[in-house]
Short mmCIF file of all heavy atoms in Angstrom, two decimals:
data_model
loop_
_atom_site.label_atom_id
_atom_site.label_comp_id
_atom_site.label_asym_id
_atom_site.label_seq_id
_atom_site.Cartn_x
_atom_site.Cartn_y
_atom_site.Cartn_z
N LYS A 145 -17.68 -9.36 -6.71
CA LYS A 145 -16.80 -10.13 -5.85
C LYS A 145 -17.58 -11.11 -4.97
O LYS A 145 -18.76 -10.91 -4.72
CB LYS A 145 -15.95 -9.20 -4.97
CG LYS A 145 -16.76 -8.14 -4.25
CD LYS A 145 -15.91 -6.92 -3.97
CE LYS A 145 -16.75 -5.67 -3.77
NZ LYS A 145 -17.35 -5.14 -4.97
N MET A 146 -16.89 -12.15 -4.54
CA MET A 146 -17.40 -13.10 -3.54
C MET A 146 -16.30 -13.32 -2.51
O MET A 146 -15.12 -13.14 -2.82
CB MET A 146 -17.69 -14.47 -4.18
CG MET A 146 -18.82 -14.55 -5.15
SD MET A 146 -18.95 -16.27 -5.69
CE MET A 146 -20.19 -16.13 -6.96
N PHE A 147 -16.71 -13.73 -1.32
CA PHE A 147 -15.74 -14.17 -0.31
C PHE A 147 -15.78 -15.69 -0.22
O PHE A 147 -16.86 -16.28 -0.25
CB PHE A 147 -16.08 -13.57 1.06
CG PHE A 147 -15.80 -12.10 1.17
CD1 PHE A 147 -16.84 -11.18 1.14
CD2 PHE A 147 -14.51 -11.62 1.30
CE1 PHE A 147 -16.59 -9.82 1.24
CE2 PHE A 147 -14.25 -10.27 1.41
CZ PHE A 147 -15.29 -9.36 1.38
N PHE A 148 -14.62 -16.30 -0.12
CA PHE A 148 -14.55 -17.73 0.16
C PHE A 148 -13.74 -17.90 1.44
O PHE A 148 -12.55 -17.55 1.49
CB PHE A 148 -13.89 -18.50 -0.98
CG PHE A 148 -13.89 -20.00 -0.77
CD1 PHE A 148 -15.03 -20.74 -1.05
CD2 PHE A 148 -12.78 -20.66 -0.26
CE1 PHE A 148 -15.06 -22.12 -0.83
CE2 PHE A 148 -12.79 -22.03 -0.05
CZ PHE A 148 -13.94 -22.76 -0.33
N VAL A 149 -14.41 -18.41 2.49
CA VAL A 149 -13.74 -18.63 3.78
C VAL A 149 -13.20 -20.05 3.79
O VAL A 149 -13.96 -21.02 3.81
CB VAL A 149 -14.72 -18.39 4.95
CG1 VAL A 149 -13.98 -18.56 6.28
CG2 VAL A 149 -15.33 -17.00 4.86
N LEU A 159 -16.68 -19.09 11.20
CA LEU A 159 -17.31 -18.37 10.10
C LEU A 159 -18.13 -17.19 10.61
O LEU A 159 -18.19 -16.13 9.98
CB LEU A 159 -18.21 -19.33 9.30
CG LEU A 159 -18.92 -18.70 8.09
CD1 LEU A 159 -17.93 -18.29 7.03
CD2 LEU A 159 -19.95 -19.66 7.50
N ILE A 163 -18.15 -13.35 9.28
CA ILE A 163 -19.36 -12.68 8.79
C ILE A 163 -19.57 -11.36 9.52
O ILE A 163 -19.83 -10.32 8.90
CB ILE A 163 -20.60 -13.60 8.94
CG1 ILE A 163 -20.49 -14.81 8.00
CG2 ILE A 163 -21.88 -12.82 8.64
CD1 ILE A 163 -21.54 -15.88 8.24
N LYS A 172 -24.72 -4.02 4.49
CA LYS A 172 -25.79 -4.95 4.11
C LYS A 172 -25.49 -5.76 2.86
O LYS A 172 -26.18 -6.74 2.57
CB LYS A 172 -27.08 -4.16 3.87
CG LYS A 172 -27.73 -3.64 5.15
CD LYS A 172 -29.05 -2.97 4.82
CE LYS A 172 -29.75 -2.48 6.08
NZ LYS A 172 -31.03 -1.83 5.77
N ARG A 173 -24.46 -5.37 2.12
CA ARG A 173 -24.15 -6.12 0.89
C ARG A 173 -23.69 -7.54 1.18
O ARG A 173 -23.77 -8.41 0.33
CB ARG A 173 -23.06 -5.38 0.11
CG ARG A 173 -23.52 -4.11 -0.55
CD ARG A 173 -22.52 -3.64 -1.59
NE ARG A 173 -21.43 -2.90 -1.01
CZ ARG A 173 -20.39 -2.45 -1.71
NH1 ARG A 173 -20.31 -2.70 -2.99
NH2 ARG A 173 -19.43 -1.77 -1.12
N ILE A 174 -23.16 -7.77 2.37
CA ILE A 174 -22.60 -9.08 2.72
C ILE A 174 -23.74 -10.09 2.90
O ILE A 174 -24.64 -9.89 3.71
CB ILE A 174 -21.76 -8.97 4.01
CG1 ILE A 174 -20.64 -7.94 3.83
CG2 ILE A 174 -21.21 -10.33 4.41
CD1 ILE A 174 -19.69 -8.24 2.68
N ALA A 175 -23.67 -11.20 2.14
CA ALA A 175 -24.74 -12.20 2.17
C ALA A 175 -24.14 -13.61 2.29
O ALA A 175 -23.62 -14.15 1.31
CB ALA A 175 -25.58 -12.10 0.89
N PRO A 176 -24.18 -14.22 3.49
CA PRO A 176 -23.66 -15.60 3.66
C PRO A 176 -24.55 -16.61 2.92
O PRO A 176 -25.71 -16.74 3.25
CB PRO A 176 -23.71 -15.82 5.17
CG PRO A 176 -23.99 -14.48 5.78
CD PRO A 176 -24.71 -13.69 4.76
N PHE A 177 -24.00 -17.29 1.94
CA PHE A 177 -24.74 -18.32 1.21
C PHE A 177 -24.62 -19.68 1.90
O PHE A 177 -25.43 -20.57 1.66
CB PHE A 177 -24.21 -18.45 -0.23
CG PHE A 177 -24.71 -17.37 -1.16
CD1 PHE A 177 -25.28 -16.20 -0.68
CD2 PHE A 177 -24.61 -17.53 -2.54
CE1 PHE A 177 -25.73 -15.20 -1.54
CE2 PHE A 177 -25.07 -16.55 -3.40
CZ PHE A 177 -25.62 -15.38 -2.91
N HIS A 178 -23.59 -19.84 2.72
CA HIS A 178 -23.33 -21.14 3.38
C HIS A 178 -23.16 -20.96 4.88
O HIS A 178 -22.60 -19.98 5.34
CB HIS A 178 -22.03 -21.76 2.85
CG HIS A 178 -22.09 -22.14 1.41
ND1 HIS A 178 -20.97 -22.43 0.67
CD2 HIS A 178 -23.14 -22.27 0.56
CE1 HIS A 178 -21.32 -22.72 -0.57
NE2 HIS A 178 -22.63 -22.62 -0.66
N ILE A 179 -23.66 -21.94 5.63
CA ILE A 179 -23.43 -22.04 7.07
C ILE A 179 -22.84 -23.42 7.33
O ILE A 179 -23.39 -24.43 6.87
CB ILE A 179 -24.75 -21.86 7.87
CG1 ILE A 179 -25.30 -20.46 7.65
CG2 ILE A 179 -24.53 -22.13 9.35
CD1 ILE A 179 -24.41 -19.33 8.13
N PRO A 180 -21.70 -23.53 8.04
CA PRO A 180 -21.03 -24.83 8.20
C PRO A 180 -21.81 -25.80 9.09
O PRO A 180 -22.48 -25.40 10.04
CB PRO A 180 -19.69 -24.46 8.84
CG PRO A 180 -19.94 -23.15 9.52
CD PRO A 180 -20.97 -22.44 8.71
N PHE A 190 -22.25 -28.24 4.90
CA PHE A 190 -22.75 -26.88 5.06
C PHE A 190 -24.23 -26.84 4.67
O PHE A 190 -24.74 -27.74 4.01
CB PHE A 190 -21.95 -25.89 4.20
CG PHE A 190 -22.03 -26.17 2.73
CD1 PHE A 190 -23.03 -25.59 1.94
CD2 PHE A 190 -21.11 -27.01 2.12
CE1 PHE A 190 -23.10 -25.86 0.59
CE2 PHE A 190 -21.18 -27.29 0.76
CZ PHE A 190 -22.18 -26.70 -0.01
N VAL A 191 -24.88 -25.78 5.09
CA VAL A 191 -26.27 -25.54 4.67
C VAL A 191 -26.25 -24.52 3.55
O VAL A 191 -25.67 -23.43 3.70
CB VAL A 191 -27.12 -25.01 5.85
CG1 VAL A 191 -28.53 -24.68 5.37
CG2 VAL A 191 -27.16 -26.02 6.98
N ASN A 192 -26.83 -24.88 2.40
CA ASN A 192 -26.99 -23.92 1.30
C ASN A 192 -28.21 -23.06 1.64
O ASN A 192 -29.35 -23.50 1.52
CB ASN A 192 -27.19 -24.68 -0.02
CG ASN A 192 -27.25 -23.75 -1.21
OD1 ASN A 192 -27.78 -22.64 -1.12
ND2 ASN A 192 -26.71 -24.20 -2.33
N VAL A 193 -27.95 -21.82 2.08
CA VAL A 193 -29.02 -20.97 2.59
C VAL A 193 -29.97 -20.54 1.47
O VAL A 193 -31.16 -20.36 1.71
CB VAL A 193 -28.43 -19.73 3.32
CG1 VAL A 193 -29.53 -18.87 3.92
CG2 VAL A 193 -27.47 -20.17 4.41
N THR A 194 -29.47 -20.39 0.26
CA THR A 194 -30.35 -19.97 -0.85
C THR A 194 -31.37 -21.06 -1.18
O THR A 194 -32.52 -20.77 -1.49
CB THR A 194 -29.52 -19.63 -2.11
OG1 THR A 194 -28.74 -20.76 -2.49
CG2 THR A 194 -28.62 -18.44 -1.86
N LYS A 195 -30.95 -22.34 -1.10
CA LYS A 195 -31.87 -23.45 -1.39
C LYS A 195 -32.48 -24.05 -0.13
O LYS A 195 -33.37 -24.89 -0.22
CB LYS A 195 -31.11 -24.56 -2.14
CG LYS A 195 -30.67 -24.17 -3.55
CD LYS A 195 -30.04 -25.36 -4.25
CE LYS A 195 -29.65 -25.02 -5.69
NZ LYS A 195 -29.02 -26.17 -6.37
N MET A 196 -31.97 -23.63 1.04
CA MET A 196 -32.39 -24.18 2.32
C MET A 196 -32.27 -25.71 2.32
O MET A 196 -33.20 -26.44 2.65
CB MET A 196 -33.82 -23.73 2.67
CG MET A 196 -33.89 -22.30 3.16
SD MET A 196 -32.86 -21.99 4.62
CE MET A 196 -33.86 -22.72 5.91
N GLU A 197 -31.08 -26.16 1.92
CA GLU A 197 -30.79 -27.60 1.90
C GLU A 197 -29.42 -27.84 2.54
O GLU A 197 -28.51 -27.02 2.43
CB GLU A 197 -30.75 -28.12 0.45
CG GLU A 197 -32.11 -28.14 -0.23
CD GLU A 197 -32.02 -28.60 -1.68
OE1 GLU A 197 -30.88 -28.79 -2.18
OE2 GLU A 197 -33.07 -28.77 -2.30
N GLY A 198 -29.31 -28.99 3.20
CA GLY A 198 -28.02 -29.39 3.78
C GLY A 198 -27.17 -30.09 2.74
O GLY A 198 -27.68 -30.72 1.81
N ARG A 199 -25.85 -29.95 2.88
CA ARG A 199 -24.89 -30.62 1.99
C ARG A 199 -23.82 -31.28 2.85
O ARG A 199 -23.26 -30.65 3.75
CB ARG A 199 -24.22 -29.61 1.05
CG ARG A 199 -25.17 -28.88 0.12
CD ARG A 199 -25.56 -29.77 -1.06
NE ARG A 199 -26.29 -29.04 -2.05
CZ ARG A 199 -27.61 -28.92 -2.08
NH1 ARG A 199 -28.33 -29.48 -1.11
NH2 ARG A 199 -28.22 -28.25 -3.04
N ILE A 219 -29.89 -20.06 11.05
CA ILE A 219 -30.04 -19.83 9.62
C ILE A 219 -31.14 -18.82 9.31
O ILE A 219 -31.03 -18.05 8.35
CB ILE A 219 -30.32 -21.18 8.89
CG1 ILE A 219 -29.06 -22.05 8.95
CG2 ILE A 219 -30.75 -20.96 7.46
CD1 ILE A 219 -29.29 -23.47 8.54
N ILE A 222 -30.16 -15.23 8.66
CA ILE A 222 -29.29 -15.16 7.49
C ILE A 222 -30.12 -15.34 6.21
O ILE A 222 -29.94 -14.62 5.21
CB ILE A 222 -28.17 -16.22 7.58
CG1 ILE A 222 -27.24 -15.86 8.74
CG2 ILE A 222 -27.39 -16.33 6.28
CD1 ILE A 222 -26.25 -16.92 9.12
N ARG A 223 -31.06 -16.29 6.27
CA ARG A 223 -31.98 -16.50 5.14
C ARG A 223 -32.79 -15.23 4.88
O ARG A 223 -32.97 -14.82 3.73
CB ARG A 223 -32.90 -17.68 5.49
CG ARG A 223 -34.11 -17.86 4.59
CD ARG A 223 -33.77 -18.52 3.29
NE ARG A 223 -34.96 -18.87 2.54
CZ ARG A 223 -34.96 -19.35 1.31
NH1 ARG A 223 -33.82 -19.57 0.70
NH2 ARG A 223 -36.07 -19.64 0.69
N MET A 225 -31.89 -12.22 5.53
CA MET A 225 -30.98 -11.23 4.97
C MET A 225 -30.84 -11.40 3.45
O MET A 225 -30.88 -10.43 2.68
CB MET A 225 -29.60 -11.41 5.63
CG MET A 225 -28.60 -10.29 5.34
SD MET A 225 -26.92 -10.78 5.78
CE MET A 225 -27.12 -11.49 7.40
N ILE A 226 -30.73 -12.66 3.01
CA ILE A 226 -30.61 -12.94 1.58
C ILE A 226 -31.90 -12.58 0.85
O ILE A 226 -31.89 -11.98 -0.23
CB ILE A 226 -30.23 -14.43 1.35
CG1 ILE A 226 -28.79 -14.67 1.79
CG2 ILE A 226 -30.41 -14.83 -0.11
CD1 ILE A 226 -28.33 -16.09 1.71
N LEU A 227 -33.04 -12.94 1.45
CA LEU A 227 -34.33 -12.62 0.81
C LEU A 227 -34.53 -11.12 0.68
O LEU A 227 -35.08 -10.63 -0.31
CB LEU A 227 -35.48 -13.26 1.59
CG LEU A 227 -35.51 -14.80 1.60
CD1 LEU A 227 -36.69 -15.31 2.42
CD2 LEU A 227 -35.58 -15.36 0.18
N ALA A 229 -32.10 -8.96 0.31
CA ALA A 229 -31.21 -8.56 -0.78
C ALA A 229 -31.82 -8.90 -2.13
O ALA A 229 -31.74 -8.12 -3.08
CB ALA A 229 -29.85 -9.25 -0.63
N VAL A 230 -32.46 -10.05 -2.22
CA VAL A 230 -33.15 -10.46 -3.45
C VAL A 230 -34.28 -9.49 -3.76
O VAL A 230 -34.45 -9.03 -4.90
CB VAL A 230 -33.69 -11.91 -3.32
CG1 VAL A 230 -34.66 -12.23 -4.45
CG2 VAL A 230 -32.53 -12.90 -3.31
N ILE A 252 -34.86 -16.47 -7.03
CA ILE A 252 -33.77 -16.18 -6.08
C ILE A 252 -32.42 -16.18 -6.80
O ILE A 252 -31.64 -15.23 -6.67
CB ILE A 252 -33.77 -17.21 -4.93
CG1 ILE A 252 -35.00 -17.02 -4.04
CG2 ILE A 252 -32.49 -17.08 -4.09
CD1 ILE A 252 -35.17 -18.09 -2.98
N GLN A 253 -32.15 -17.22 -7.60
CA GLN A 253 -30.85 -17.32 -8.26
C GLN A 253 -30.66 -16.24 -9.31
O GLN A 253 -29.57 -15.67 -9.45
CB GLN A 253 -30.68 -18.71 -8.87
CG GLN A 253 -30.53 -19.79 -7.80
CD GLN A 253 -30.26 -21.17 -8.37
OE1 GLN A 253 -30.56 -21.44 -9.53
NE2 GLN A 253 -29.70 -22.05 -7.56
N SER A 254 -31.72 -15.93 -10.05
CA SER A 254 -31.65 -14.86 -11.05
C SER A 254 -31.39 -13.51 -10.39
O SER A 254 -30.56 -12.72 -10.85
CB SER A 254 -32.95 -14.82 -11.86
OG SER A 254 -32.93 -13.75 -12.75
N ALA A 255 -32.09 -13.25 -9.28
CA ALA A 255 -31.91 -11.98 -8.57
C ALA A 255 -30.52 -11.90 -7.93
O ALA A 255 -29.89 -10.84 -7.93
CB ALA A 255 -32.98 -11.83 -7.50
N LEU A 256 -30.06 -13.04 -7.40
CA LEU A 256 -28.72 -13.05 -6.79
C LEU A 256 -27.65 -12.80 -7.85
O LEU A 256 -26.68 -12.07 -7.60
CB LEU A 256 -28.47 -14.38 -6.08
CG LEU A 256 -29.26 -14.60 -4.78
CD1 LEU A 256 -28.99 -15.99 -4.22
CD2 LEU A 256 -28.92 -13.55 -3.73
N HIS A 257 -27.82 -13.40 -9.02
CA HIS A 257 -26.87 -13.17 -10.12
C HIS A 257 -26.80 -11.68 -10.46
O HIS A 257 -25.72 -11.10 -10.55
CB HIS A 257 -27.29 -13.98 -11.36
CG HIS A 257 -26.45 -13.67 -12.58
ND1 HIS A 257 -25.19 -14.17 -12.76
CD2 HIS A 257 -26.70 -12.88 -13.65
CE1 HIS A 257 -24.70 -13.73 -13.90
NE2 HIS A 257 -25.60 -12.93 -14.46
N LYS A 258 -27.98 -11.08 -10.61
CA LYS A 258 -28.04 -9.64 -10.93
C LYS A 258 -27.42 -8.81 -9.80
O LYS A 258 -26.66 -7.87 -10.04
CB LYS A 258 -29.49 -9.21 -11.16
CG LYS A 258 -29.66 -7.74 -11.56
CD LYS A 258 -31.11 -7.38 -11.78
CE LYS A 258 -31.27 -5.95 -12.27
NZ LYS A 258 -30.71 -4.96 -11.34
N GLY A 259 -27.75 -9.19 -8.55
CA GLY A 259 -27.21 -8.45 -7.40
C GLY A 259 -25.70 -8.54 -7.31
O GLY A 259 -25.02 -7.56 -7.00
N VAL A 260 -25.15 -9.75 -7.58
CA VAL A 260 -23.69 -9.94 -7.54
C VAL A 260 -23.02 -9.13 -8.65
O VAL A 260 -22.03 -8.43 -8.42
CB VAL A 260 -23.33 -11.43 -7.66
CG1 VAL A 260 -21.82 -11.61 -7.85
CG2 VAL A 260 -23.79 -12.20 -6.43
N VAL A 261 -23.58 -9.21 -9.86
CA VAL A 261 -23.00 -8.49 -11.01
C VAL A 261 -23.03 -6.98 -10.78
O VAL A 261 -22.07 -6.27 -11.10
CB VAL A 261 -23.74 -8.86 -12.32
CG1 VAL A 261 -23.32 -7.94 -13.46
CG2 VAL A 261 -23.45 -10.32 -12.68
N GLU A 264 -24.32 -5.21 -5.63
CA GLU A 264 -25.21 -4.96 -4.49
C GLU A 264 -25.22 -6.13 -3.50
O GLU A 264 -25.63 -5.97 -2.36
CB GLU A 264 -26.63 -4.71 -5.00
CG GLU A 264 -26.75 -3.41 -5.80
CD GLU A 264 -28.08 -3.32 -6.55
OE1 GLU A 264 -28.92 -4.22 -6.37
OE2 GLU A 264 -28.25 -2.36 -7.31
N ILE A 265 -24.79 -7.30 -3.97
CA ILE A 265 -24.72 -8.49 -3.11
C ILE A 265 -23.32 -9.07 -3.20
O ILE A 265 -22.78 -9.26 -4.29
CB ILE A 265 -25.77 -9.55 -3.55
CG1 ILE A 265 -27.20 -9.00 -3.38
CG2 ILE A 265 -25.59 -10.84 -2.75
CD1 ILE A 265 -28.26 -9.92 -3.95
N VAL A 266 -22.73 -9.35 -2.04
CA VAL A 266 -21.41 -9.99 -2.00
C VAL A 266 -21.55 -11.29 -1.21
O VAL A 266 -21.62 -11.27 0.03
CB VAL A 266 -20.36 -9.07 -1.35
CG1 VAL A 266 -18.99 -9.73 -1.38
CG2 VAL A 266 -20.32 -7.71 -2.05
N PRO A 267 -21.63 -12.44 -1.90
CA PRO A 267 -21.85 -13.73 -1.21
C PRO A 267 -20.63 -14.16 -0.38
O PRO A 267 -19.49 -13.80 -0.69
CB PRO A 267 -22.06 -14.71 -2.36
CG PRO A 267 -22.32 -13.87 -3.57
CD PRO A 267 -21.60 -12.58 -3.35
N ILE A 268 -20.91 -14.93 0.66
CA ILE A 268 -19.86 -15.61 1.42
C ILE A 268 -20.08 -17.11 1.29
O ILE A 268 -21.16 -17.61 1.61
CB ILE A 268 -19.88 -15.23 2.92
CG1 ILE A 268 -19.72 -13.73 3.11
CG2 ILE A 268 -18.77 -15.97 3.67
CD1 ILE A 268 -19.82 -13.27 4.56
N LEU A 269 -19.06 -17.82 0.78
CA LEU A 269 -19.08 -19.28 0.70
C LEU A 269 -17.99 -19.81 1.61
O LEU A 269 -17.09 -19.06 2.02
CB LEU A 269 -18.84 -19.74 -0.73
CG LEU A 269 -19.99 -19.58 -1.74
CD1 LEU A 269 -20.25 -18.12 -2.08
CD2 LEU A 269 -19.69 -20.33 -3.03
N CYS A 270 -18.04 -21.10 1.93
CA CYS A 270 -17.01 -21.63 2.83
C CYS A 270 -16.58 -23.03 2.41
O CYS A 270 -17.28 -23.71 1.66
CB CYS A 270 -17.51 -21.62 4.28
SG CYS A 270 -18.88 -22.74 4.60
N VAL A 281 -18.69 -26.47 -5.08
CA VAL A 281 -19.76 -25.48 -4.92
C VAL A 281 -19.25 -24.09 -5.31
O VAL A 281 -19.96 -23.30 -5.93
CB VAL A 281 -20.29 -25.47 -3.47
CG1 VAL A 281 -21.43 -24.48 -3.32
CG2 VAL A 281 -20.74 -26.86 -3.07
N LEU A 282 -18.01 -23.78 -4.97
CA LEU A 282 -17.41 -22.50 -5.35
C LEU A 282 -17.36 -22.38 -6.88
O LEU A 282 -17.74 -21.34 -7.44
CB LEU A 282 -16.00 -22.38 -4.77
CG LEU A 282 -15.17 -21.18 -5.24
CD1 LEU A 282 -15.82 -19.86 -4.83
CD2 LEU A 282 -13.74 -21.26 -4.71
N SER A 284 -19.22 -23.94 -9.08
CA SER A 284 -20.60 -23.80 -9.60
C SER A 284 -21.12 -22.38 -9.36
O SER A 284 -21.83 -21.82 -10.20
CB SER A 284 -21.53 -24.81 -8.92
OG SER A 284 -21.12 -26.13 -9.23
N SER A 285 -20.76 -21.79 -8.23
CA SER A 285 -21.20 -20.42 -7.91
C SER A 285 -20.55 -19.40 -8.85
O SER A 285 -21.18 -18.41 -9.24
CB SER A 285 -20.86 -20.07 -6.46
OG SER A 285 -21.54 -20.94 -5.57
N ILE A 286 -19.30 -19.65 -9.23
CA ILE A 286 -18.63 -18.76 -10.19
C ILE A 286 -19.38 -18.79 -11.52
O ILE A 286 -19.67 -17.76 -12.12
CB ILE A 286 -17.15 -19.19 -10.38
CG1 ILE A 286 -16.34 -18.86 -9.13
CG2 ILE A 286 -16.54 -18.51 -11.61
CD1 ILE A 286 -14.94 -19.45 -9.11
N LYS A 288 -22.47 -19.68 -12.00
CA LYS A 288 -23.86 -19.24 -11.84
C LYS A 288 -24.00 -17.74 -11.61
O LYS A 288 -24.87 -17.08 -12.15
CB LYS A 288 -24.46 -20.01 -10.65
CG LYS A 288 -25.99 -20.04 -10.62
CD LYS A 288 -26.45 -20.87 -9.43
CE LYS A 288 -26.01 -22.33 -9.57
NZ LYS A 288 -26.33 -23.13 -8.37
N TYR A 289 -23.10 -17.19 -10.78
CA TYR A 289 -23.30 -15.81 -10.32
C TYR A 289 -22.35 -14.77 -10.91
O TYR A 289 -22.68 -13.59 -10.93
CB TYR A 289 -23.19 -15.75 -8.78
CG TYR A 289 -24.22 -16.59 -8.07
CD1 TYR A 289 -23.84 -17.61 -7.20
CD2 TYR A 289 -25.59 -16.37 -8.27
CE1 TYR A 289 -24.79 -18.39 -6.54
CE2 TYR A 289 -26.54 -17.14 -7.62
CZ TYR A 289 -26.13 -18.14 -6.76
OH TYR A 289 -27.08 -18.91 -6.11
N MET A 290 -21.19 -15.19 -11.36
CA MET A 290 -20.21 -14.22 -11.85
C MET A 290 -20.53 -13.82 -13.30
O MET A 290 -21.11 -14.61 -14.05
CB MET A 290 -18.80 -14.78 -11.76
CG MET A 290 -18.23 -14.74 -10.34
SD MET A 290 -18.13 -13.04 -9.73
CE MET A 290 -17.18 -13.29 -8.25
#
Side-chain angles (χ1 to χ4, degrees):
K145 50 207 157 287
M146 292 181 186
F147 288 104
F148 184 80
V149 182
L159 181 66
I163 293 170
K172 288 184 178 180
R173 288 195 278 176
I174 302 302
F177 281 17
H178 295 165
I179 296 298
F190 61 90
V191 177
N192 185 324
V193 183
T194 57
K195 293 185 177 179
M196 283 303 283
E197 291 177 353
R199 299 281 189 269
I219 291 168
I222 293 169
R223 167 79 171 173
M225 190 195 314
I226 289 176
L227 294 180
V230 167
I252 291 173
Q253 290 184 339
S254 176
L256 289 176
H257 173 77
K258 182 180 184 301
V260 171
V261 170
E264 293 168 4
I265 297 173
V266 183
I268 302 176
L269 286 70
C270 66
V281 182
L282 172 63
S284 298
S285 298
I286 289 170
K288 200 178 296 174
Y289 299 121
M290 283 299 190

